[in-house]
Amino acid sequence: MVFENKPKFVTFDMNGTLIHFRINEVIRRVLGDRLPAEIADEFLRTGNQFRFDETTGDWKPFHQIVARSLERTMRWFGLEYRDGDAQAVYEEIPTFTPYPGVTAALRRLAEEYPLVIVTNTDDVHAPSLVENLQAPFEVVITSEQMGVYKPRLQAFEYALDKLGVTPDEIVWVSASPKYDLRSATNLGIRNKVYMDRGFEHDEHWLGYERITDIADLPVLFGLPRP
């Protein structure tokens, strides 16, 4: 095992780390011809930043995060926003499924460690997405329960308090330095795993273990690959 002490919990980000969060594909489909092909990639990159920006203020329901960020992005690019656009995107989120290999890796890890999800998903969608993972989780903590979104430090404080652990008693696994691993580092969580999905840059100075195949996750804990 690469970690000094056996952790009490292994804590996961869900969307983008375990669940293939295909929101950009859905946005493309919902907007259709209103999103010109020549600006689509830049539009979606900018939309991701607006969505991040919406999470850094006071808590609001996730459907409002989707709506506000999409509306801001469309206005930024001078495109027509319609009230039904965001709702159509939001309603598809519970259908998102895991990346390949995720369920097997989680089940292997769960044989030895309690698994936890800390997610920016709301209470409406979290049960469906967790069910889609088909793996046992001891605790699921949503943004709605925390009253904030990651990367706010309050989200990590809430999770540690809820689990009754200190920062050195958990391992935090995420595909996002931006939403998770920077904040975890700032609160003294030393044991971290970066599941590199290719949509953020490697920030190795944060001191995490980096993997590119979820099947390697149990190996970090001294378990065989699933």
Side-chain angles (χ1 to χ4, degrees):
M1 185 170 70
V2 303
F3 307 111
E4 238 176 74
N5 301 307
K6 182 173 181 176
K8 291 185 176 179
F9 297 97
V10 184
T11 303
F12 292 86
D13 169 61
M14 182 164 62
N15 291 334
T17 300
L18 304 176
I19 291 288
H20 189 185
F21 194 64
R22 305 185 311 278
I23 193 168
N24 284 343
E25 295 176 21
V26 177
I27 290 171
R28 283 180 189 266
R29 187 167 66 252
V30 168
L31 297 185
D33 293 341
R34 284 182 292 146
L35 178 56
E38 62 271 18
I39 67 165
D41 289 346
E42 183 184 359
F43 177 93
L44 295 169
R45 282 195 300 271
T46 303
N48 286 339
Q49 297 308 315
F50 277 128
R51 198 157 55 249
F52 178 79
D53 188 61
E54 288 290 329
T55 65
T56 60
D58 293 337
W59 186 87
K60 48 185 167 292
F62 192 67
H63 68 84
Q64 292 183 19
I65 297 281
V66 174
R68 281 285 299 136
S69 58
L70 184 57
E71 183 178 10
R72 290 171 68 186
T73 309
M74 296 191 77
R75 286 182 175 174
W76 185 260
F77 285 87
L79 304 179
E80 175 198 3
Y81 175 76
R82 299 173 186 169
D83 288 340
D85 292 338
Q87 187 64 24
V89 172
Y90 176 77
E91 288 176 355
E92 283 211 36
I93 292 174
T95 69
F96 294 167
T97 53
Y99 285 100
V102 162
T103 297
L106 291 175
R107 287 178 175 176
R108 176 59 54 82
L109 202 56
E111 293 172 6
E112 297 290 336
Y113 298 92
L115 308 185
V116 177
I117 282 175
V118 181
T119 177
N120 278 354
T121 311
D122 55 22
D123 288 347
V124 177
H125 285 169
S128 297
L129 291 165
V130 172
E131 184 177 352
N132 293 348
L133 290 169
Q134 295 293 296
F137 285 91
E138 296 285 325
V139 183
V140 176
I141 300 172
T142 69
S143 65
E144 197 164 344
Q145 296 163 21
M146 296 185 291
V148 292
Y149 289 94
K150 300 177 295 180
R152 295 283 305 276
L153 293 183
Q154 188 178 333
F156 296 80
E157 291 175 282
Y158 180 99
L160 292 169
D161 288 344
K162 173 85 172 178
L163 298 174
V165 295
T166 59
D168 60 349
E169 292 177 324
I170 63 169
V171 175
W172 202 285
V173 184
S174 177
S176 177
K178 181 169 68 173
Y179 279 99
D180 282 81
L181 298 174
R182 293 176 195 166
S183 298
T185 301
N186 288 339
L187 282 186
I189 298 173
R190 296 194 307 274
N191 297 324
K192 303 177 293 290
V193 178
Y194 174 39
M195 178 61 250
D196 189 348
R197 296 288 184 192
F199 55 75
E200 289 190 30
H201 295 297
D202 183 6
E203 299 183 12
H204 56 86
W205 53 87
L206 294 176
Y208 46 59
E209 297 290 331
R210 174 181 172 270
I211 58 175
T212 57
D213 183 348
I214 194 70
D216 289 332
L217 183 61
V219 177
L220 296 180
F221 293 83
L223 302 173
R225 286 169 62 94

